[in-house]
Amino acid sequence: MSYLIVLILAVAGLLTVMRKEAGAKAAIGVLLVTGIIGLLLDTEVLGALLLLAAAGTAFAGLPGLRQQWLTPKLFDYFKKVSPKVSATERTALDAGTVGWDGALFSGNPDWNQLLKNRAEALPAEEQAFIDHQCSVAVSMCNSWDVAVERADLPPELWEYLKKEKFFGMIIPKEYGGLGLSTKAQSLVLQKLAVNEMLMTTVGVPNSLGPGELLLKYGSEEQKQHYLPRLADGREIPCFGLTGPRAGSDATSLPDTGVVCMGEFEGKQVLGLKLNFEKRWITLAPIATVVGLAFRLFDPDHLLGEEEDRGITCALVPRDTKGMDIGRRHWPVGSPFLNGPIFGKNVFIPMDWIIGGTDMIGQGWRMLVECLSVGRCVTLPSGASGAGRYMLGTAGGFTRIRRQFNVPVADMEGVQAPLARIASKAYIAQAAVLHTANMVDNGEKPSVPSAILKYHLTEYQRQMAHDAMDVHGGKAVTKGPRNYLAIPTDATAVSITVEGANILTRSLMIFGQGAIRCHPYVLSELEARDKNDSDAFDKAFFGHAGLIFGNFARALTKGVGITSRDTPFDEAAAPYALAVSRISAGFGLCADAAMASLGSDLKKRELISARLGDVLSSLYLTSMVLKNWHEGTAVEGEKALLDYSCQTLLFNAEEALSGFFANLPSRALAAVLRVIVFPAGRQFSQPTDVLTHKIARAVSTNTALRAKLIGNTWNTWNDGEQDNPLYRYNELLKNYDRAEKIYHTVNKAYAKGKIPASALHPEQRVEAAVERQIISGEDAEFMRDYEAEVLDMLTVDDFAFDRLATDKSTVIYHRDDLKAADNIASAPGKKGSKTKRTGQNRKLPVEETAESDTTGLQPNADSEQSEEDERTAPALK
């Protein structure tokens, strides 16, 4: 019994010391005390072993002793096995700051660090811009018209964007811009994301491009000339980085600038001769000024002894001799303005280099620092805003769409995707808000930007597919009424640009974080590069203490031995404790992977991807918890919090399980699994009960639905483009009344009180009012309600030859089809008007004659839907 007591005391003491990372002296103290206790309790062998362990710990752990023998051996070995960091990798690592991502890497996150900067409400001026100017802008375009009919924004919208300085959101007011905060910029893009082309057109000039590069690195003369012109749209910018052979590996770009003398404005000046080929450049076809990245060479040593001066960035006006732009690429889904740029022997003066000659060779650093805006703000905000609108329309559609006499939103098979969409929208909103808030507070979150870019654009794709599924035939039939097909197709663009998602997940999130965010690895590498043994000793043994600390924290927290003190309420606290527990396990696994695989870890992309998935899940959960903590919860939000956190933490444990299953060292994997999951995995997929609650809340007129679709385009005024979300919201406001009438009428029909031939809802309503089953007031209400429902369910149809680009290739199959097309397209032919009438609202009148010219023939009575729901004109 004495042996057991002494052993328990020693283990408990050592675990306590390790959890706190108290250092070698504290561990020696525990071993000495328990060793002496062992001798006093007649457990001589155990006591002697503990004392010997104390001596060994002193010999290896105390700086004055270990530096004499152990540190030099470890340093020599580390030099041989540690991965080399290239100059370009070093630049990427030095870019940005480390914040909450570093806390998660440490295995012991301090929640007060995350909560110290609240995401305060926007100033009234910024909120007013989002509420008014953004609403006006998005109301001026219809996705079908923009993407299919004109492949561009309407001219009046272009003028409005310039007039209201949408292209100058990041440009300070002193240079003529709006000077919006990052949070406001994010919310602008979320609102504009209803239309993919609009969001892209506004987002790109406000992220990676001449504007941001000029702000951070440009000369004052360049700023004074360009920034006011960029802000009001007199100049339209683009930035040429990628090309045929330089995509994700931007450092390999083959475009060159050679220092030479040349003629400029009639004078011989020192400048650059550029040769380049760029592709996939957004806004290139209409750009008036082009930012270019190229490799600068000085073969004649006109600048100095060094020939290869590195990647450099310059601004080149569109009309510069030798530059060829104007043609277009055709992006999938949304044909936003994008195209190639070519240049052959393009001479530019040296002062066109962004920042002047002092910035020669600094291009890669400039790009890495600015790319984080695209990955951290533009693309994630677009994904969040698009998903928010998808949620609103999916919830509305599934509530008004009835099959088997019930709304499809009440069917469990439909509720599952609805809950998934709601959860992803909820997570995305929290992530973009609080990461943007970090930027506003001076951080440059490089690793979180990669997390948001990958996961939120993937969320966008998954939300789009789920929304398509629940809409069924409504969403797979293209036309002006289809608000999902074009955004769904366009998700592939977000997945691909600004660092392809495969690359981002496989290499960037953990690969960059393992060095940049780890508390000690970067210091160890710097000590190696400087051959500084003392610095290495401090970093390496601090690293060792971290490993022991994460071992103790993962093991003890895994069996429930942990402090319950958190800054969160009882709803969020369990998830915060789980994040801390998994963080300790993640930190231990990250060190184990780096130690066991060494430089080979770069090649083991699937291992790196799984560890990146763990870090991402922990980061996103943290953003959800911060959002909950700082916000005011509405009814039903607790279910969404539970669903979201459980999903994210399940994914984190799933990724860790995949890591254990695939780590090459099977013995190490087995040991790690026991330490990280001593009581087994603790999270499963959310329950069906949560799914039911969330699906009901987002498909009815609730406070939760209103909160989730806030700050999106949910208004609709006369003269604006049709807004399906507004119309669904209006229908949902009247749903409870309509549902009671549905129930009364269908019950009467089932009992034979209404003729069996009354197969349509409109027929049953008329029969019910005739038989005084419902009142005349209810019947009038249902006539309007059903007319609006039918219009929202209706899809477009087209002339037979409309889909053929080359009309000469059309096979009509029947003479009457060709005749019908000829009649429809005859000059001066006037079609009938169809008027959409919604509840308490007149909708825009459509001229079918205009549609006939393009072969489009809207017909509110044309849809053929499944089962008993065949559409028909409302009976008079």
Side-chain angles (χ1 to χ4, degrees):
M1 187 66 178
S2 297
Y3 276 94
L4 183 60
I5 292 172
V6 174
L7 186 61
I8 291 174
L9 287 174
V11 171
L14 288 173
L15 286 174
T16 301
V17 168
M18 288 190 290
R19 275 183 60 138
K20 296 181 178 181
E21 297 181 40
K25 291 181 180 179
I28 293 168
V30 170
L31 291 168
L32 285 173
V33 170
T34 53
I36 293 170
I37 292 174
L39 295 177
L40 293 175
L41 292 179
D42 296 328
T43 55
E44 293 86 352
V45 174
L46 181 56
L49 289 174
L50 291 170
L51 293 175
L52 285 172
T57 302
F59 199 48
L62 295 177
L65 295 175
R66 72 185 182 224
Q67 288 175 351
Q68 301 303 313
W69 70 280
L70 182 57
T71 300
K73 292 181 173 59
L74 291 173
F75 197 22
D76 288 340
Y77 180 73
F78 183 79
K79 292 176 183 177
K80 295 177 183 177
V81 301
S82 56
K84 303 299 180 184
V85 180
S86 68
T88 53
E89 289 175 317
R90 170 66 66 176
T91 299
L93 290 172
D94 290 340
T97 59
V98 177
W100 184 245
D101 46 333
L104 294 172
F105 244 100
S106 74
N108 191 24
D110 178 3
W111 290 101
N112 293 314
Q113 174 189 346
L114 177 67
L115 301 178
K116 64 182 179 182
N117 290 317
R118 291 180 60 89
E120 303 291 352
L122 296 180
E125 182 181 10
E126 292 187 338
Q127 188 62 56
F129 184 85
I130 294 165
D131 292 340
H132 177 66
Q133 279 91 335
C134 292
S135 295
V136 171
V138 75
S139 73
M140 294 172 73
C141 52
N142 169 271
S143 291
W144 180 263
D145 172 66
V146 165
V148 178
E149 299 294 349
R150 69 173 73 237
D152 196 355
L153 301 177
E156 60 272 18
L157 178 53
W158 274 108
E159 291 306 311
Y160 186 78
L161 295 176
K162 294 175 182 179
K163 172 176 172 289
E164 297 298 334
K165 300 184 178 181
F166 276 85
F167 300 125
M169 291 194 295
I170 65 171
I171 296 175
K173 291 182 178 180
E174 57 264 35
Y175 292 109
L178 295 176
L180 298 185
S181 65
T182 309
K183 291 196 297 291
Q185 181 187 347
S186 172
L187 286 169
V188 167
L189 297 176
Q190 289 180 60
K191 196 156 194 175
L192 301 186
V194 173
N195 186 282
E196 176 73 18
M197 186 180 293
L198 175 60
M199 192 284 294
T200 302
T201 301
V202 172
V204 168
N206 286 286
S207 57
L208 175 63
E212 187 178 12
L213 291 170
L214 283 169
L215 275 174
K216 294 184 177 179
Y217 312 107
S219 66
E220 187 57 33
E221 183 181 1
Q222 289 171 336
K223 292 178 183 179
Q224 292 289 350
H225 175 76
Y226 276 113
L227 291 179
R229 300 171 65 83
L230 290 170
D232 62 20
R234 282 176 289 166
E235 299 277 9
I236 299 295
C238 71
F239 191 84
L241 174 60
T242 54
R245 291 183 171 85
S248 297
D249 181 13
T251 60
S252 66
L253 58 92
D255 308 301
T256 61
V258 177
V259 180
C260 63
M261 298 297 295
E263 184 177 336
F264 179 71
E265 295 182 346
K267 298 179 182 179
Q268 285 290 312
V269 300
L270 184 65
L272 302 173
K273 184 178 292 184
L274 303 176
N275 285 277
F276 53 87
E277 181 179 356
K278 304 292 187 180
R279 292 184 185 175
W280 308 298
I281 310 304
T282 299
L283 294 183
I286 63 165
T288 61
V289 59
V290 178
L292 285 174
F294 52 87
R295 191 75 166 264
L296 192 147
F297 293 93
D298 183 16
D300 297 329
H301 305 287
L302 298 176
L303 299 177
E305 293 301 316
E306 190 176 1
E307 291 191 12
D308 185 353
R309 304 300 293 265
I311 296 175
T312 302
C313 298
L315 288 178
V316 184
R318 180 189 184 95
D319 58 2
T320 301
K321 183 179 179 181
M323 186 162 65
D324 179 18
I325 58 177
R327 291 178 66 82
R328 295 178 66 172
H329 297 312
W330 193 340
V332 64
S334 177
F336 58 91
L337 294 166
N338 186 278
I341 307 176
F342 306 94
K344 185 174 183 180
N345 296 328
V346 179
F347 182 80
I348 66 170
M350 297 296 285
D351 59 7
W352 286 9
I353 294 174
I354 297 177
T357 55
D358 290 342
M359 298 306 293
I360 289 175
Q362 299 299 309
W364 179 235
R365 177 173 66 86
M366 296 161 63
L367 294 171
V368 168
E369 291 178 353
C370 291
L371 273 170
S372 63
V373 177
R375 287 200 294 261
C376 181
V377 178
T378 306
L379 292 170
S381 298
S384 176
R388 187 180 303 183
Y389 197 81
M390 290 172 189
L391 171 65
T393 54
F397 176 84
T398 55
R399 181 55 54 187
I400 69 163
R401 173 64 164 160
R402 301 175 71 85
Q403 292 285 268
F404 310 106
N405 288 327
V406 296
V408 297
D410 289 341
M411 298 177 178
E412 290 191 348
V414 173
Q415 289 177 339
L418 279 180
R420 289 196 298 266
I421 299 171
S423 175
K424 288 180 173 64
Y426 187 65
I427 296 167
Q429 288 181 45
V432 294
L433 169 64
H434 295 288
T435 307
N437 187 59
M438 293 177 188
V439 177
D440 283 333
N441 282 284
E443 295 187 40
K444 298 177 182 178
S446 56
V447 173
S449 72
I451 291 173
L452 263 62
K453 193 279 171 180
Y454 170 74
H455 285 279
L456 267 58
T457 56
E458 289 292 340
Y459 278 10
Q460 181 182 7
R461 174 158 60 180
Q462 294 158 11
M463 286 188 285
H465 289 168
D466 275 337
M468 290 284 288
D469 285 350
V470 300
H471 277 80
K474 169 72 176 178
V476 299
T477 307
K478 288 187 174 183
R481 295 172 179 267
N482 190 330
Y483 43 79
L484 270 177
I486 291 170
T488 298
D489 289 346
T491 58
V493 175
S494 298
I495 298 295
T496 304
V497 300
E498 301 279 7
N501 277 10
I502 290 176
L503 168 77
T504 302
R505 176 175 180 258
S506 301
L507 294 177
M508 293 184 63
I509 295 175
F510 179 76
Q512 187 175 3
I515 298 177
R516 189 72 183 90
C517 299
H518 195 285
Y520 297 105
V521 168
L522 190 58
S523 298
E524 291 168 338
L525 293 173
E526 289 175 346
R528 178 203 63 189
D529 295 339
K530 296 177 181 178
N531 199 30
D532 188 338
S533 179
D534 290 341
F536 173 79
D537 176 84
K538 182 179 179 181
F540 181 85
F541 284 96
H543 192 166
L546 177 69
I547 293 173
F548 283 118
N550 281 333
F551 162 80
R553 285 188 288 266
L555 184 63
T556 55
K557 290 180 179 183
V559 295
I561 303 173
T562 185
S563 170
R564 301 289 170 180
D565 183 27
T566 75
F568 298 103
D569 63 16
E570 60 181 1
Y575 302 119
L577 294 173
V579 168
S580 296
R581 170 180 64 83
I582 298 173
S583 173
F586 164 73
L588 186 64
C589 291
D591 281 318
M594 287 188 283
S596 64
L597 293 171
S599 59
D600 285 343
L601 183 56
K602 280 187 178 181
K603 303 174 185 176
R604 301 304 299 266
E605 295 178 15
L606 295 178
I607 295 289
S608 177
R610 293 185 182 95
L611 290 172
D613 289 345
V614 181
L615 178 62
S616 299
S617 294
L618 296 179
Y619 183 84
L620 294 174
T621 306
S622 302
M623 297 301 102
V624 171
L625 295 178
K626 187 174 191 291
N627 199 55
W628 173 271
H629 180 76
E630 296 179 1
T632 301
V634 299
E635 184 180 357
E637 190 174 348
K638 171 62 164 57
L640 195 51
L641 173 75
D642 290 336
Y643 187 106
S644 301
C645 290
Q646 288 172 22
T647 298
L648 288 167
L649 294 172
F650 170 84
N651 291 341
E653 291 189 339
E654 183 75 5
L656 282 171
S657 293
F659 170 76
F660 299 142
N662 291 279
L663 190 66
S665 175
R666 303 312 303 140
L668 179 60
V671 171
L672 287 171
R673 184 184 291 275
V674 172
I675 296 170
V676 176
F677 294 147
R681 290 176 56 172
Q682 299 184 18
F683 284 94
S684 57
Q685 295 280 19
T687 64
D688 292 350
V689 173
L690 289 176
T691 297
H692 300 330
K693 290 181 179 178
I694 295 167
R696 176 76 186 182
V698 299
S699 64
T700 52
N701 185 34
T702 63
L704 180 60
R705 176 182 166 87
K707 184 173 185 177
L708 289 173
I709 63 175
N711 271 326
T712 191
W713 183 43
N714 53 21
T715 57
W716 189 28
N717 299 305
D718 289 332
E720 295 179 346
Q721 293 288 336
D722 190 13
N723 186 356
L725 179 58
Y726 174 90
R727 298 175 68 183
Y728 283 129
N729 288 342
E730 292 298 298
L731 285 167
L732 294 186
K733 290 177 184 178
N734 293 302
Y735 168 74
D736 287 343
R737 180 181 179 185
E739 184 59 32
K740 291 177 181 178
I741 299 172
Y742 279 133
H743 178 75
T744 299
V745 171
N746 289 337
K747 185 177 180 180
Y749 180 80
K751 292 184 175 180
K753 296 180 180 179
I754 293 176
S757 59
L759 300 177
H760 293 286
E762 297 87 350
Q763 293 172 316
R764 294 181 186 180
V765 165
E766 298 304 328
V769 71
E770 288 177 5
R771 290 159 177 74
Q772 298 184 341
I773 297 171
I774 61 173
S775 67
E777 183 180 354
D778 282 346
E780 185 61 31
F781 165 81
M782 287 302 293
R783 291 185 189 107
D784 285 343
Y785 187 85
E786 277 299 327
E788 179 71 346
V789 167
L790 182 59
D791 196 64
M792 294 305 293
L793 298 179
T794 297
V795 298
D796 298 289
D797 55 74
F798 299 86
F800 187 80
D801 65 355
R802 175 65 172 84
L803 277 60
T805 303
D806 182 354
K807 299 295 189 287
S808 68
T809 65
V810 175
I811 302 173
Y812 283 97
H813 301 283
R814 301 198 322 263
D815 290 341
D816 58 326
L817 286 176
K818 185 173 183 179
D821 271 5
N822 290 335
I823 293 171
S825 59
K829 171 69 178 177
K830 292 292 184 181
S832 61
K833 294 182 179 180
T834 59
K835 181 180 293 185
R836 303 179 184 180
T837 55
Q839 185 65 21
N840 302 322
R841 179 176 189 82
K842 290 185 177 180
L843 287 86
V845 175
E846 293 184 345
E847 292 279 0
T848 57
E850 295 176 2
S851 299
D852 286 346
T853 302
T854 61
L856 178 62
Q857 298 183 25
N859 184 345
D861 301 332
S862 65
E863 184 189 26
Q864 297 293 312
S865 48
E866 301 92 2
E867 302 294 334
D868 293 336
E869 299 271 332
R870 289 186 177 278
T871 56
L875 300 180
K876 301 298 182 182

